[in-house]
Amino acid sequence: MTLIRGSRPRIKVLLAALVLTAGVGGTALVAPSPGTEATPPAQDKQPPAAPKPTPAARAPKPASYPIGGYFVFASPNTSRNTQKLTEIKTAGADTVITFGTPLAPATLATLPKECVIDGVNCAKAAAGTLEVNRYFTYSDGSVWSSQAVKCPQDRRITSQGKAFVVLVLPAQGSGCTSTNGKYDVVVAGGGAAGGMDPAASLALAATKLGMKFYAGLPLPVKRTDTAYLPDVSYQGTLALFTERFLQYQAATNNVKGLAGFYHSTEMPVTDGHTFDPILDLYRMQNQAIHRIFPTRGAIISPYLDARVSAFSISLTEARNGIRRIAQTASGLILNIAIQDGMGTGKGGAFQSNEANSAVDRYAESIVGKGSWSSKYVAPIRDYFLAAAAGISGTGAVLWANLEGMAPATASNPCGDSLRGQSSKARIDRQLQQLSNAQKIISFMWDSYYTCVGAGVPLKAQVEAGIATPIITDATFDASTGQVRITGFNLSGGNAQVKWTTKGGQRVVKTVKPTSTNTAYGVQSGMNPELEMILVNVGKTTLAAGRYYTVNVTNQWGAENDAFYSQRIYTEQSSRGTKG
């Protein structure tokens, strides 16, 4: 795989500093300590009775990886959920998200055979003499409690070792009584009777660990004729079921760790009216969330497809598309996490110096041989800049959904997954493109970060390299010699700058920062973990048509090698330009 030079970590952290527990079964992994140095800070040597240190004397903040959340599968096993979330927290994240379950049309013949009441199909028995319009299943494997029972015909059933609820919803109107005398019957659940509800277990684990959990919302099935659109023929039933689902969550799962809900129905980041039915779905469910959970939020994760040979979304379409999605918020806190496309080959994380270089072998397996610029409309970075402009003023928040897998080849298997295992080096280059997203989440922990694949699990790679500096931008004012560097985990070390002068001299200087701003991300409205350092290499000149490179070694001794400037210099440009 061709790796971006700016993402190749050379970790020099003392490995004996800390032992992190990771992996299933509590495998001990030795990893760099995110908050210690070879020589303990002075305050660590003070006796217990000593006064608290002043802020200037405090130990530097621990290193943290820029991925703040992961998609996960919920388990009915509380200890398993707690272990998983503990590993995710160790990797530096504070958020987990689960997918929703389809509310699927069914017939009496296709309803769960285990769901019976006195030997009779449970849906038929619950409906009794009522006229049934349609049957549905919601096979989420959960254990719905009796608090789901609201209407006279609703039932909670334990049958053949499984737990179900049967909800009898009006086919027309709201509440419990239909205005046209017809009803839709939903059979939900199917988890082990007496077991723990997976979503409730995950929410409790998140609460215990001080983390945030976004639960998947019910979603419609896809159309049979146009698979990229939802079946809206039963939108009214979905709206009523969404209401009942949220009411149930409010009654049984309203814990501190429940931060909100996730929309599993996806659409591209485009302004095409083809996808209006999905926007209508978002709006309907956002209104329901805001009504029942006024202090909670939601996540929508539209996908990016920048392939020249495929959907070929333009930057203008992305800017307008995210604005349309943001306008479905209906008063709630809406986080729009754009999928970056690197894991599916739909997006390219490349810098300007790589535009004419060949795509890596993983992208090649999707788009074929060629250069990055010939295969993709623009780099991911440019799409996120466009999205930031589009979302501005809407009240919605720009997130990023980093695809934590890679297109599958013979060299990167990941169990029976459709995609293959990625690497931390590839993830790092994706992170370089996503700095203006206020939070970065990743698809997905199970199993792309946990599978062994062809070597070390990705989660172990992340933990071992958690202190790696990731440079996202650099500008060089040759007239003053000041170099401005932004990124993650930059503080406390030095920077090496390499450039070519107008006279053709190749210069290399390693200097300490003249200033450090650890609040740069917060102040600029970008990712709050972003830092900015300034270094000065002295007044100089920059050769036209040449890149300069920047390399940072941070306070933990970790190094990120050779970040290239974003643009080529011209004779008229004497300073670095932000790309």
Side-chain angles (χ1 to χ4, degrees):
M1 179 173 67
T2 302
L3 297 177
I4 186 169
R5 290 181 64 196
S7 293
R8 180 168 55 86
R10 290 188 284 170
I11 304 302
K12 300 177 182 177
V13 183
L14 298 177
L15 296 183
L18 178 68
V19 175
L20 298 178
T21 301
V24 178
T27 303
L29 295 173
V30 179
S33 171
T36 58
E37 300 174 310
T39 301
Q43 69 271 19
D44 290 344
K45 301 177 182 178
Q46 299 296 325
K52 292 183 178 180
T54 62
R58 287 177 184 164
K61 70 174 185 178
S64 61
Y65 203 60
I67 298 178
Y70 295 90
F71 286 85
V72 299
F73 289 122
S75 167
N77 186 305
T78 299
S79 62
R80 190 173 301 160
N81 284 330
T82 300
Q83 180 186 6
K84 181 186 300 184
L85 266 61
T86 299
E87 292 173 0
I88 288 172
K89 189 172 182 178
T90 298
D94 66 356
T95 300
V96 291
I97 307 113
T98 56
F99 288 91
T101 300
L103 180 66
T107 64
L108 279 174
T110 60
L111 291 173
K113 292 181 171 51
E114 302 93 336
C115 190
V116 294
I117 299 174
D118 297 330
V120 178
N121 179 293
C122 62
K124 184 176 182 180
T129 59
L130 298 178
E131 183 179 353
V132 176
N133 178 52
R134 297 179 77 175
Y135 293 100
F136 296 87
T137 57
Y138 188 73
S139 303
D140 61 343
S142 294
V143 184
W144 294 58
S145 75
S146 58
Q147 293 190 65
V149 176
K150 295 286 186 181
C151 296
Q153 302 298 127
D154 293 347
R155 298 286 186 273
R156 185 181 189 277
I157 301 141
T158 299
S159 175
Q160 298 183 33
K162 294 185 177 181
F164 299 91
V165 292
V166 182
L167 306 182
V168 182
L169 308 175
Q172 183 174 294
S174 58
C176 296
T177 305
S178 175
T179 56
N180 68 355
K182 296 182 180 180
Y183 293 83
D184 292 322
V185 183
V186 180
V187 177
M196 183 69 175
D197 185 273
S201 174
L202 201 62
L204 289 174
T207 301
K208 179 180 178 182
L209 293 169
M211 299 176 72
K212 302 168 186 175
F213 166 51
Y214 287 84
L217 287 166
L219 67 150
V221 297
K222 296 178 180 179
R223 283 170 46 169
T224 55
D225 59 338
T226 312
Y228 52 81
L229 291 176
D231 182 350
V232 297
S233 66
Y234 59 99
Q235 186 90 325
T237 306
L238 180 64
L240 288 175
F241 183 75
T242 296
E243 191 91 6
R244 293 290 296 274
F245 171 86
L246 291 170
Q247 289 173 350
Y248 178 70
Q249 297 299 317
T252 63
N253 202 19
N254 193 7
V255 295
K256 186 176 181 180
L258 181 67
F261 299 90
Y262 173 69
H263 292 271
S264 296
T265 301
E266 296 179 357
M267 64 173 283
V269 194
T270 184
D271 55 2
H273 288 282
T274 300
F275 300 96
D276 284 356
I278 299 178
L279 296 177
D280 292 339
L281 171 62
Y282 293 160
R283 188 174 293 107
M284 175 271 287
Q285 293 192 314
N286 285 337
Q287 289 171 352
I289 296 168
H290 192 51
R291 185 168 55 252
I292 298 170
F293 286 96
T295 62
R296 299 317 208 281
I299 302 173
I300 293 173
S301 188
Y303 59 87
L304 174 65
D305 194 336
R307 291 173 293 175
V308 171
S309 62
F311 205 178
S312 193
I313 297 171
S314 71
L315 297 178
T316 299
E317 288 170 333
R319 183 183 66 238
N320 296 338
I322 195 171
R323 192 168 191 87
R324 296 191 76 209
I325 295 171
Q327 290 166 346
T328 70
S330 304
L332 57 66
I333 302 167
L334 183 60
N335 305 298
I336 305 178
I338 299 176
Q339 301 172 38
D340 73 349
M342 272 288 278
T344 55
K346 295 178 180 178
F350 61 97
Q351 296 188 78
S352 57
N353 69 298
E354 296 179 298
N356 296 321
S357 299
V359 299
D360 68 25
R361 68 174 182 269
Y362 301 113
E364 182 184 312
S365 70
I366 303 296
V367 298
K369 292 182 180 294
S371 67
W372 288 104
S373 60
S374 70
K375 295 299 182 180
Y376 296 98
V377 175
I380 293 166
R381 175 192 180 95
D382 291 357
Y383 280 99
F384 273 81
L385 289 171
I391 206 172
S392 178
T394 65
V397 183
L398 177 62
W399 285 15
N401 183 358
L402 184 153
E403 294 181 352
M405 67 287 195
T409 69
S411 65
N412 65 329
C414 189
D416 57 358
S417 298
L418 294 176
R419 309 293 179 184
Q421 184 190 42
S422 189
S423 66
K424 183 177 175 296
R426 201 170 197 263
I427 299 296
D428 284 354
R429 74 178 293 164
Q430 291 169 254
L431 289 168
Q432 288 182 313
Q433 307 268 319
L434 305 175
S435 62
N436 65 332
Q438 292 193 26
K439 190 180 184 75
I440 301 170
I441 58 177
S442 185
F443 174 87
M444 85 174 282
W445 188 263
D446 316 295
S447 60
Y448 295 118
Y449 282 83
T450 59
C451 69
V452 174
V456 180
L458 187 54
K459 69 174 184 178
Q461 297 178 42
V462 169
E463 289 168 357
I466 200 167
T468 305
I470 297 173
I471 301 173
T472 59
D473 200 9
T475 59
F476 194 158
D477 186 341
S479 65
T480 63
Q482 181 171 278
V483 183
R484 177 180 178 270
I485 306 166
T486 60
F488 304 99
N489 289 332
L490 304 183
S491 300
N494 56 52
Q496 182 188 74
V497 185
K498 299 179 181 180
W499 74 98
T500 303
T501 68
K502 285 184 177 180
Q505 180 185 7
R506 184 64 173 162
V507 184
V508 179
K509 282 194 177 182
T510 300
V511 292
K512 293 284 186 184
T514 57
S515 68
T516 299
N517 183 0
T518 57
Y520 172 78
V522 174
Q523 294 168 356
S524 60
M526 300 169 75
N527 190 298
E529 296 298 316
L530 274 179
E531 300 175 343
M532 186 264 287
I533 60 174
L534 295 176
V535 300
N536 199 297
V537 296
K539 184 178 178 180
T540 185
T541 60
L542 291 168
R546 300 292 294 271
Y547 290 93
Y548 63 82
T549 61
V550 178
N551 181 41
V552 169
T553 302
N554 62 18
Q555 61 192 313
W556 299 285
E559 184 178 353
N560 194 9
D561 187 26
F563 175 85
Y564 281 83
S565 54
Q566 290 298 315
R567 299 205 193 283
I568 299 176
Y569 295 103
T570 65
E571 290 290 351
Q572 291 76 33
S573 175
S574 63
R575 66 181 62 191
T577 303
K578 183 176 181 180

